[in-house]
Structure formats: C-alpha cells, structure tokens
Amino acid sequence: SLLLLYVFSFVLHSTTTTSMFTFTHVAVIAAVCAVAAVAAPTQEVTTPVPVGDFYGTVNIYPYQKNSRGYTCVTGCSGPVSAPARMIFYTNSAVLNITTASNHGCGVGNQGYYFYNLEPHSGGAYPYYYVGYAQVEGSAISVCLYFNQVSGDLKILIDGQGSCPADNANAQCNSGWTPGTVTQTWSGVMRPSTVPTGNWFGNVRIVPYTSSSRGYTCTSCYPVSSQASVLWNGDSFIFSIQGASSASCTLHTQSYQVTQVVEYGPSYPNYYYGLMNINNYNTPICFYWDRYGNVILKIDGQGTCPSQSDPSQCVNSSQYPGTVIQTWTASLSISE
C-alpha cells in the first residue's frame, strides 16, 4: 500500500509542557414533538460522513501538566492558530496538526485517528459524527462537528461525552473534576486541491552522473521517458520507466513524495512536499494543474519552478558537488 502510516501520539505540546487529550462520547439526544397527545416520529436530518481531503487551520488554547493534574496555560492572548489537514476516508479520518506558535503560546505536531465514524443518530443533528479514537491502547468514543459547506470544524473534550456547539469558539476551562480541563477546538477546513488518482504519461529529465566529488549534470538534451504518478492521500510515488536518447540514458527510478500541501492561496496549482532522495527527505515545490501539466524543481531548498521553466539540470554554484534539476511532465489521469 502506498498509504503513508502515521504514528499518533495524542500529545499536545505547549510552550512549556506536554499534555494528553482524552476524547469522549456524545450523549444521544432525541427530539420529541407532541401533537394532540400523540408523539410524532423524530425526523432524521443527518449528513453522510465526508470523504475527501481538507486543509485549513485549527484554533487551540493549550493546557499543561503539573503535579496536580492538568491546567489551562495562562498568558495566551488568544488561541494558537495551527495549520491542519484532515483526510476523510469511507468511515475514518486523520487529523494532522502542525507546529505553530502565536498569541504567546504554542502547540507541536500532533495527529489523531478517528474510525467507525457514522452520522449522529439522535435526530436533527446534521454535520455531527460519532465514532472512536485509539488512545493509550483503548478505544475512546468521540463526537465531532464538521460542516462541509462552511468548513467549520468543532471538537469538544470534556471527559463527559458532550458534543460541541456548532458555533463554539476555541477555549480552555477547568474540568468537571479537579486536575482536569475542558477544551474546545475550532477550525475551518476547505476542500483540498491536492491531486488524486493514478496518472500516466511522459516526463522529460536531463540526467546527471555521480563521481567521487559528488554529482554533475550531463551535457545531454532532456530524455523523455514513460512515467506514472500514484496518489494516496497527501503522498504519491513518482515512477520513471527509463529511456535512452542518443548516447544519454535515463535510468529506471522511483521516488516517494509525502506531506503534500497547497503552497498557498496566492500560488494556485503549486504544492509543497518532501521527496525521499537517498533516504533523505528533501523539500520540493512543484506545479500541477488539472490538465496534468507538471513542473517539479529539485534544488534541496524547496524553491518553486516557473510555469515556463524547461527541463534542465544545473550544477549548483552554492553547493559544489550537487545539481539542481527541473522535470517537466505531461500526464493524464486513469479512468
């Protein structure tokens, strides 16, 4: 499987300490309407569990651990706004939150896995979902609110199994019992534009050679080879079949790119990721439009290519013994 496996620690890092979260289950609420002393059946207004890739931010007021348990971190002038990505599968989801520091506080990288998700069955509760999260080897019930239309995401952590209000703001308060806290996370998630599916076509690359002094570009023209790109969530594998042109050879090779995210709203069709090259994760930036036009630049710095860049190889003047490559590809998605 090409699916990148995450290890979820369920640990929230504040600027000073490390804290543990516990998710709880939602109490089922039924709405009953009495008409002429006869109870009408409850109308179900549920929404299906989403499927797809979403990105945005999650707002969190962190808490910390001390000798008496957990307390909310003081001194934050506002919630920490952290980049986040949420990938929904058929009945499960992965929420990854990236390190961030603002408003005088901070959070660290953290990941959460939700499974057996299903719509809230308590009546008219659209966008509420219940399921489980694995915490410390135990299956913990969880409820979350996610409105796919507005992108609003809410998670309430209170140890009592309560659902968050659909308009709740991020907060941290003392919990139901001493040494505990009640947290509400709020965020906005938008549908991701990261490509999906299996793509096939051709890639053009200028080969390079290796020596005792490092790597050097060849004087070859770009060699065209058949290639495939297989996406799985926020990662993909770029496989190059290999080809020869005149006296130049492009060898068979394959690279995995992980943690792909949109570069930013000001740069449509540009993406950032980590390419595994010689067992080292190298930051890269690439262009990919809906027509399958792909331009990928590999310079070890994550520099973005221009849409007009040709396939090329340049010997680095800044880092002797290294090369800067630009690949161009024309791909079509497999139906």
Side-chain angles (χ1 to χ4, degrees):
S1 170
L2 304 180
L3 175 63
L4 177 65
L5 299 179
Y6 292 90
V7 178
F8 301 107
S9 62
F10 293 86
V11 176
L12 172 61
H13 299 273
S14 70
T15 51
T16 55
T17 60
T18 300
S19 305
M20 305 292 293
F21 288 110
T22 300
F23 288 100
T24 53
H25 188 249
V26 58
V28 177
I29 303 174
V32 179
C33 178
V35 179
V38 177
T42 299
Q43 181 182 8
E44 296 290 337
V45 188
T46 59
T47 45
V49 176
V51 174
D53 194 352
F54 300 83
Y55 77 104
T57 58
V58 171
N59 299 313
I60 303 171
Y61 275 103
Y63 62 83
Q64 60 190 0
K65 184 177 181 180
N66 57 31
S67 59
R68 297 182 179 181
Y70 301 99
T71 59
C72 296
V73 174
T74 59
C76 303
S77 59
V80 178
S81 181
R85 185 180 203 89
M86 196 162 194
I87 303 175
F88 282 89
Y89 301 95
T90 303
N91 64 342
S92 61
V94 172
L95 173 61
N96 287 318
I97 300 173
T98 303
T99 298
S101 179
N102 45 64
H103 294 127
C105 293
V107 298
N109 290 333
Q110 51 200 280
Y112 300 91
Y113 176 59
F114 305 92
Y115 62 98
N116 288 349
L117 291 177
E118 60 183 12
H120 190 295
S121 59
Y125 295 96
Y127 308 120
Y128 279 93
Y129 307 98
V130 295
Y132 298 89
Q134 196 71 23
V135 181
E136 293 294 316
S138 300
I140 305 299
S141 299
V142 62
C143 169
L144 61 91
Y145 172 87
F146 180 53
N147 186 327
Q148 303 170 57
V149 178
S150 65
D152 289 334
L153 174 70
K154 314 290 181 183
I155 300 175
L156 173 63
I157 307 163
D158 69 348
Q160 302 297 310
S162 307
C163 271
D166 59 6
N167 61 350
N169 294 318
Q171 55 184 305
C172 181
N173 301 299
S174 298
W176 293 84
T177 58
T180 66
V181 297
T182 295
Q183 275 200 319
T184 301
W185 295 5
S186 68
V188 176
M189 294 289 183
R190 306 170 185 85
S192 173
T193 62
V194 170
T196 60
N198 301 334
W199 296 71
F200 301 89
N202 292 281
V203 63
R204 290 166 55 83
I205 300 175
V206 176
Y208 62 84
T209 60
S210 61
S211 67
S212 59
R213 295 183 177 181
Y215 301 98
T216 305
C217 295
T218 66
S219 58
C220 301
Y221 288 104
V223 177
S224 180
S225 168
Q226 291 184 352
S228 64
V229 178
L230 310 181
W231 282 91
N232 195 331
D234 62 351
S235 65
F236 65 85
I237 289 184
F238 201 127
S239 299
I240 302 166
Q241 181 173 310
S244 295
S245 177
S247 60
C248 298
T249 299
L250 182 65
H251 297 287
T252 301
Q253 50 199 290
S254 182
Y255 300 92
Q256 184 177 36
V257 178
T258 60
Q259 300 182 37
V260 176
V261 295
E262 289 81 354
Y263 203 82
S266 300
Y267 299 91
N269 300 323
Y270 277 91
Y271 304 91
Y272 173 88
L274 297 175
M275 174 180 276
N276 190 292
I277 303 176
N278 296 327
N279 295 319
Y280 178 78
N281 285 329
T282 300
I284 64 167
C285 178
F286 60 95
Y287 173 87
W288 187 309
D289 65 25
R290 62 193 180 111
Y291 303 106
N293 297 309
V294 179
I295 306 172
L296 189 152
K297 188 166 188 174
I298 308 170
D299 67 350
Q301 307 299 311
T303 306
C304 290
S306 167
Q307 295 182 40
S308 60
D309 280 353
S311 300
Q312 60 184 339
C313 182
V314 178
N315 294 314
S316 174
S317 58
Q318 184 176 4
Y319 302 101
T322 66
V323 298
I324 299 172
Q325 278 193 314
T326 302
W327 302 358
T328 63
S330 179
L331 306 174
S332 298
I333 192 168
S334 177
E335 299 296 338

